[in-house]
């Protein structure tokens, strides 16, 4: 019985709205744009945040990255006179870090040299990364062909190289890949593997690998290329000695990452007179990015929520006008026995129908806008279930809240005065 009456009230509410189609449509537009903007903004924010978080995850939440940098003293000295700069991490730093902390699982030293590579007539500038096989455990990358570096390569000081996919396509081209001999600098290396690489920045941390990388055993890098790098710029010659350009540390447990990073910094500081190193902790950056994401979503949601509020005010305005127009109808219904709660439910149903239909259309608009953004700009967007359900619930809630006052006002109309209304 109650269900039948409820359905009749819904049917009556829809009929009343259809009597003024244009007015009902324009009233719904506020809700449509409000819900659509909430869904679209949350989707854009979610997409941008997730891409940043994925980049940071690639660095490894358990990793600590230590880089060599020129100290302020070295920068000013190299600008005033020609001499050999000596700075950065050392081989002893690598051994101390590996042996001094029980929380450390693995450590990978990294030496980086820029060299020209040649195969027949083809040449290409490569970033030679001298490291140990453990590097591929700390910075996992998919192996496309062949293999990664192995402990036997390091022990035997074998001149082998692992190219990135980009380097292999540019340098090897139509040649056979695995087993091919390429010249790096003035020395020959055998290509034993090809890996997929990442490039760019994760937050403000440079991802350890680049598209133009070639990986060789660090003992071979020291033997063939040494620790001194010479550059000729504008007629002058610049020389610098850097033993290790980077050390990547993997901690056994994510809870020990930040304390281990503090310990490493304190230890390195004891043996370095100048600040010629910089420690980055991806976990800290990850937490900052997640906090920024939450703030970003709250701000975007609040801005878009204002549009929903405006839509709610529009609903209240039109329902108050509707109460005035239908004063005589309300009086007749009250005169024949309609109770106040029935009048309230009738007007509430009309506002809920308006806000629900507007909300559903708004969801469609909100899903379509991120698709357009991704299609035309390539910017990733993510439409989550929460970004759809939450605005829809809010739109229905706004319909109830802003429709309640007009409904109560309609129910409180005096039947006698209402019947006299023209």
């Amino acid at each position: 019985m109650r269900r039948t009456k409820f359905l009749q009230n819904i049917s009556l509410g829809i009929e009343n709205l259809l009597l003024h189609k244009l007015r009902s449509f324009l009233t719904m537009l506020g809700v449509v744009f409000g819900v659509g903007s909430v869904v679209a903004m949350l989707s854009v924010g979610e997409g941008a945040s997730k891409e940043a978080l994925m980049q940071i995850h690639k660095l490894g939440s358990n990793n600590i990255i230590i880089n060599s940098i020129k100290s302020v003293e070295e920068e000013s000295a190299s600008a005033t006179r020609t001499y050999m700069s000596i700075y950065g991490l050392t081989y002893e730093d690598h051994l101390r870090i590996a042996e001094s902390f029980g929380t450390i699982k693995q450590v990978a030293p990294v030496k980086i040299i820029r060299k020209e590579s040649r195969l027949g007539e083809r040449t290409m500038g490569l970033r030679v990364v001298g490291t140990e096989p453990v590097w591929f455990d700390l910075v996992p990358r998919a192996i496309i062909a062949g293999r990664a570096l192995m402990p036997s390569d390091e022990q035997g000081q074998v001149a082998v190289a692992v190219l990135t996919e980009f380097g292999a396509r540019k340098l090897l081209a139509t040649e056979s890949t695995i087993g091919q001999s390429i010249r790096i600098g003035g020395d020959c290396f055998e290509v034993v593997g090809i890996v997929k690489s990442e490039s760019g920045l994760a937050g403000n941390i440079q991802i350890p690998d680049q598209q133009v990388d070639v990986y060789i055993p660090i003992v071979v890098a020291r033997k063939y290329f040494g620790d001194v790098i010479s550059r000729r710029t504008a007629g002058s010659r610049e020389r610098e000695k850097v033993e290790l350009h980077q050390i990547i540390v993997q901690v056994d447990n994510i809870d020990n990452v930040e304390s281990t990073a503090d310990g490493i910094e304190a230890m390195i500081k004891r043996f370095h007179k100048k600040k010629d190193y910089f420690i980055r902790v991806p976990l800290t950056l990850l937490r900052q990015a997640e906090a920024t994401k939450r703030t970003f979503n709250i701000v975007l949601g609040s801005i878009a929520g204002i549009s929903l509020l405006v839509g709610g005010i529009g609903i209240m305005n039109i329902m108050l006008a509707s109460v005035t127009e239908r004063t005589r109808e309300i009086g007749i219904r009250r005169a024949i026995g309609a109770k106040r709660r029935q009048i309230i439910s009738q007007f509430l149903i009309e506002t809920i129908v308006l806000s629900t239909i507007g909300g559903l259309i708004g969801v469609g608009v909100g899903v379509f806008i991120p698709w357009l953004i991704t299609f035309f700009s390539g910017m990733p967007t993510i439409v989550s279930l929460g970004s759809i359900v939450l605005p829809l619930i809010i739109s229905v809630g706004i319909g109830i809240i802003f429709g309640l006052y007009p409904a109560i006002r309609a129910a409180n109309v005096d039947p006698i005065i209402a019947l006299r209304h023209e």
Side-chain angles (χ1 to χ4, degrees):
M1 182 69 179
R2 287 183 178 178
R3 185 179 177 183
T4 304
K5 190 173 288 187
F6 179 71
L7 291 174
Q8 286 176 347
N9 286 334
I10 292 178
S11 177
L12 182 61
I14 294 173
E15 285 178 14
N16 287 328
L17 292 173
L18 290 176
L19 290 174
H20 306 280
K21 296 183 182 68
L22 182 59
R23 187 172 70 181
S24 300
F25 173 72
L26 293 175
T27 305
M28 279 195 300
L29 279 183
V31 178
V32 169
F33 291 134
V35 172
S37 61
V38 170
V39 174
M41 281 186 163
L42 291 178
S43 301
V44 170
E46 187 71 22
S49 300
K50 187 153 188 182
E51 186 179 35
L53 293 175
M54 282 177 64
Q55 288 290 87
I56 296 169
H57 273 297
K58 288 174 185 175
L59 296 170
S61 300
N62 282 38
N63 290 350
I64 300 167
I65 301 173
I66 314 163
N67 290 299
S68 293
I69 59 170
K70 271 191 177 182
S71 64
V72 176
E73 295 87 348
E74 288 290 339
E75 287 284 2
S76 57
S78 61
T80 56
R81 57 192 173 92
T82 302
Y83 86 123
M84 185 167 71
S85 301
I86 302 173
Y87 67 92
L89 301 166
T90 65
Y91 300 114
E92 289 184 354
D93 289 330
H94 167 239
L95 294 175
R96 289 192 199 102
I97 291 170
E99 295 171 0
S100 300
F101 296 89
T103 55
I104 290 178
K105 189 177 179 182
Q106 299 180 104
V107 183
V110 179
K111 175 182 275 298
I112 299 171
I113 311 109
R114 297 277 179 178
K115 290 289 179 180
E116 187 175 89
S117 179
R118 179 181 294 274
L119 176 62
E121 297 298 320
R122 287 187 293 274
T123 61
M124 179 183 177
L126 291 176
R127 194 182 78 146
V128 182
V129 180
T131 187
E132 295 178 354
V134 70
W135 190 94
F136 294 93
D137 295 329
L138 273 62
V139 188
R141 298 292 183 253
I143 297 174
I144 296 171
R147 62 175 176 84
L149 296 178
M150 296 176 63
S152 57
D153 300 327
E154 187 178 4
Q155 293 162 8
Q157 298 187 20
V158 185
V160 293
V162 177
L163 282 170
T164 61
E165 182 183 13
F166 177 83
R169 290 182 186 277
K170 291 286 185 181
L171 192 62
L172 302 181
T174 57
E175 302 289 337
S176 57
T177 53
I178 305 305
Q180 184 67 253
S181 179
I182 62 172
R183 186 172 290 276
I184 301 175
D187 304 287
C188 289
F189 288 79
E190 179 189 353
V191 178
V192 296
I194 299 172
V195 297
K196 192 173 184 64
S197 71
E198 303 288 344
S199 62
L201 291 172
N204 58 348
I205 302 180
Q206 175 68 49
I207 289 178
D209 52 341
Q210 294 182 10
Q211 287 186 328
V212 292
D213 281 353
V214 57
Y215 306 97
I216 66 174
I218 191 168
V219 291
V220 177
R222 290 184 66 183
K223 179 181 176 182
Y224 286 11
F225 307 121
D227 297 326
V228 179
I229 301 171
S230 298
R231 296 191 189 92
R232 291 187 180 276
T233 54
S236 64
R237 187 180 180 187
E238 182 184 343
R239 301 174 71 215
E240 60 182 33
K241 181 180 179 181
V242 182
E243 293 184 7
L244 290 175
H245 293 82
Q246 192 177 74
I247 298 175
I248 304 177
V249 179
Q250 186 182 58
V251 181
D252 59 357
N253 191 297
I254 198 168
D255 297 328
N256 298 326
V257 170
E258 289 166 318
S259 59
T260 303
D262 292 338
I264 290 172
E265 184 165 19
M267 187 185 72
I268 294 178
K269 189 176 181 180
R270 288 173 51 201
F271 296 95
H272 286 248
K273 294 179 181 179
K274 298 171 288 187
K275 180 71 174 178
D276 54 359
Y277 60 90
F278 197 82
I279 298 177
R280 295 286 193 186
V281 183
L283 177 63
T284 303
L285 188 63
L286 183 64
R287 287 175 178 166
Q288 290 172 353
E290 287 174 341
T292 303
K293 173 189 169 183
R294 287 193 294 270
T295 305
F296 190 57
N297 284 343
I298 290 170
V299 171
L300 287 179
S302 300
I303 293 171
I306 294 171
S307 300
L308 270 175
L309 186 63
V310 172
I313 294 170
I315 289 176
M316 178 184 281
N317 183 46
I318 206 67
M319 292 312 295
L320 285 172
S322 181
V323 169
T324 304
E325 288 176 359
R326 294 159 62 186
T327 302
R328 187 173 179 79
E329 175 196 328
I330 295 166
I332 292 170
R333 290 197 64 189
R334 291 295 310 278
I336 61 175
K339 297 179 180 178
R340 288 184 176 178
R341 67 170 180 270
Q342 291 174 318
I343 302 296
I344 291 174
S345 66
Q346 178 188 344
F347 279 87
L348 268 182
I349 285 170
E350 290 182 23
T351 59
I352 291 170
V353 167
L354 271 175
S355 60
T356 303
I357 294 174
L360 290 171
I361 297 172
V363 166
V365 172
V367 171
F368 183 63
I369 290 172
W371 180 84
L372 283 178
I373 292 171
T374 303
F375 183 78
F376 286 106
S377 68
M379 179 181 174
T381 55
I382 298 173
V383 181
S384 63
L385 183 63
S387 66
I388 291 175
V389 174
L390 183 62
L392 195 57
I393 292 173
I394 292 173
S395 70
V396 175
I398 281 178
I400 295 172
I401 293 168
F402 284 90
L404 197 57
Y405 173 70
I408 293 173
R409 183 170 172 178
N412 288 333
V413 172
D414 189 305
I416 297 172
I417 297 174
L419 288 171
R420 292 175 182 171
H421 189 270
E422 292 298 332

